[in-house]
Amino acid sequence: MTAPAPSEKALVPFVSVENMMRLVHHIGIERVLTELTDVIEADFRRWELFDKTPRVASHSREGVIELMPTSDGEIYSFKYVNGHPKNMAEGLQTVTAFGLLADVSTGYPVLLTEMTLLTALRTAATSAMAARHLAPKGATTMAMIGNGAQAEFQALAMKAVLGITHVRLFDIDPKATEKTRRNLEGSGLTVMACETSQAAIEGAQIITTCTADKQYATILTDNMVGAGVHINAIGGDCPGKTELHRDILSRAETFVEYPPQTRIEGEIQQMAPDYPVTELWQVVTGQAAGRRDEKQITLFDSVGFAIEDFSALRYVRDRVRGTAFFQSVDLIADPDDPRDLFGMLQRAKD
Ligand SMILES: NC(=O)c1ccc[n+]([C@@H]2O[C@H](COP(=O)([O-])OP(=O)(O)OC[C@H]3O[C@@H](n4cnc5c(N)ncnc54)[C@H](O)[C@@H]3O)[C@@H](O)[C@H]2O)c1
């Protein structure tokens, strides 16, 4: 007997890496980044109704594997993501991810997708959203320190959303800087490769740090940071892994995603537990001030939170509907008679 065809609910739309790449080019990368920024901001406005928990991290000597769940009561999502800074030297990605959306009313998954590319896109969009509220008005120049997998996405999001025109690059590995410079050719950005981080931040109103090292690093020291800049610190996102000297945090006004997670993982792990922070969602909803004056140093202590992945997954689900950019995967065993799971198994016996 041949196995019966799975029901419609058993077939889950799956977006492969290949299809994600096609989808992004079909829409246009800057449009994706702009739309994602707006979708994430819309979910930050609804922040209070989400289930929230610090991500569940499994640490090892080499890296971390994390699960990031959340729900708005109607849709549930989770992302599987790793962070292994030593991977790059072995020809592997530092960060890889995949994720799932499910219908809360049935518990059935409604989307399964690659999220390595999607994480780079959503991280860049989140940076742009934060900068929209915190960066000095009329910012034209950004420094990008750490020119790895995330770098081009970060630069393009700042261009698309904020109108950044100039990017100054620095990485301890000149090959990474050269790769980023080459990839940004033709993007409309004026790109300058710099030999030191000090040179890279010259004249920049936005400084993004996006390095990977499983240790306390000092990518920026206090004397490097002048009045009025916005720092977008992405790479410090694990216990024992930071990028900024703590003196910078003493001078800056710090904005975070979800304090219970950021206090463990972010730059602020270096500070006392009562170090004051502002939650970004409160800035987005107008309950708290963003940038107040031209002299203020603003810091977005980004670690990446589950709601950003939820937004990105929701965006992909809406964008692939009615297109050819997904496959249907027979993921859920769904017998016609719900109690006859065993009978369904038997039907596949030859
Ligand atoms: N906050 C978030 O939401 C979020 C999301 C994704 C990734 N991340 C983090 O961002 C970081 C970068 O990720 P990636 O995928 O681009 O990693 P990657 O390994 O591809 O790139 C990291 C780059 O940093 C460079 N680097 C290391 N130490 C440096 C230093 N002292 N000065 C200058 N450059 C240095 C490396 O040479 C490399 O080119 C990781 O730490 C990752 O965990 C955070």
Side-chain angles (χ1 to χ4, degrees):
M1 202 194 301
T2 53
S7 83
E8 209 176 288
K9 275 202 180 334
L11 294 176
V12 177
F14 167 62
V15 182
S16 63
V17 174
E18 185 67 32
N19 272 324
M20 184 63 78
M21 296 192 294
R22 289 203 185 118
L23 176 71
V24 170
H25 289 301
H26 173 73
I27 301 170
I29 185 156
E30 288 195 34
R31 184 156 165 215
V32 169
L33 288 162
T34 307
E35 290 178 349
L36 263 177
T37 302
D38 291 341
V39 173
I40 293 169
E41 182 155 325
D43 281 335
F44 269 57
R45 283 185 204 286
R46 314 190 291 143
W47 187 266
E48 284 168 291
L49 62 81
F50 281 90
D51 272 352
K52 290 176 283 295
T53 178
R55 57 187 157 202
V56 182
S58 175
H59 294 281
S60 62
R61 207 155 37 89
E62 293 81 16
V64 64
I65 295 177
E66 297 164 327
L67 290 178
M68 301 173 69
T70 190
S71 168
D72 70 352
E74 288 181 16
I75 307 170
Y76 170 91
S77 74
F78 81 82
K79 177 167 86 171
Y80 167 103
V81 62
N82 76 302
H84 285 68
K86 59 96 198 165
N87 273 6
M88 198 243 306
E90 298 167 16
L92 300 171
Q93 285 292 115
T94 298
V95 175
T96 72
F98 69 90
L100 183 141
L101 271 187
D103 173 8
V104 168
S105 69
T106 59
Y108 274 41
V110 294
L111 178 75
L112 175 66
T113 176
E114 89 76 39
M115 287 191 80
T116 305
L117 286 160
L118 193 56
T119 293
L121 291 161
R122 79 81 156 115
T123 305
T126 306
S127 294
M129 183 195 71
R132 185 145 78 180
H133 296 277
L134 303 175
K137 290 272 161 293
T140 55
T141 304
M142 99 185 252
M144 184 73 226
I145 302 178
N147 303 153
Q150 314 296 319
E152 297 85 347
F153 297 87
Q154 290 288 326
L156 288 176
M158 292 296 183
K159 171 179 184 277
V161 177
L162 268 87
I164 286 296
T165 52
H166 290 67
V167 180
R168 302 173 65 83
L169 305 173
F170 173 70
D171 194 293
I172 43 171
D173 183 351
K175 288 202 292 289
T177 303
E178 177 49 25
K179 174 264 331 178
T180 306
R181 194 198 57 72
R182 205 175 44 241
N183 281 340
L184 290 175
E185 255 169 20
S187 67
L189 283 165
T190 303
V191 180
M192 169 80 88
C194 302
E195 286 184 3
T196 61
S197 46
Q198 183 74 56
I201 64 174
E202 241 166 66
Q205 297 94 12
I206 299 176
I207 303 173
T208 294
T209 55
C210 192
T211 65
D213 208 343
K214 201 165 171 38
Q215 63 171 8
Y216 294 108
T218 309
I219 307 303
L220 294 182
T221 52
D222 190 35
N223 62 329
M224 291 165 75
V225 178
V229 299
H230 173 60
I231 305 171
N232 179 43
I234 297 167
D237 60 355
C238 249
K241 178 168 173 254
T242 56
E243 295 182 304
L244 307 183
H245 192 282
R246 68 191 303 281
D247 288 353
I248 297 173
L249 282 90
S250 305
R251 285 164 65 214
E253 198 125 337
T254 300
F255 298 80
V256 302
E257 291 142 315
Y258 181 56
Q261 184 179 309
T262 312
R263 295 231 182 245
I264 305 167
E265 301 181 351
E267 296 301 325
I268 59 171
Q269 65 185 277
Q270 306 178 70
M271 309 306 278
D274 61 351
Y275 171 79
V277 295
T278 304
E279 295 185 48
L280 197 51
W281 72 270
Q282 295 193 314
V283 176
V284 168
T285 56
Q287 293 172 54
R291 169 167 292 272
R292 272 195 301 267
D293 61 63
E294 285 170 17
K295 296 241 169 77
Q296 194 184 14
I297 298 168
T298 51
L299 163 64
F300 174 38
D301 186 1
S302 159
V303 292
F305 190 61
I307 294 173
E308 296 145 22
D309 300 308
F310 174 98
S311 313
L313 284 161
R314 204 159 63 80
Y315 175 72
V316 170
R317 186 195 53 174
D318 292 347
R319 277 311 212 143
V320 297
R321 201 174 278 142
T323 73
F325 299 121
F326 69 91
Q327 298 148 263
S328 293
V329 174
D330 180 13
L331 187 67
I332 297 300
D334 183 45
D336 320 334
D337 173 354
R339 283 176 298 196
D340 199 14
L341 186 63
F342 191 81
M344 177 180 158
L345 172 70
Q346 296 306 90
R347 276 182 280 170
K349 222 171 164 186
D350 17 75

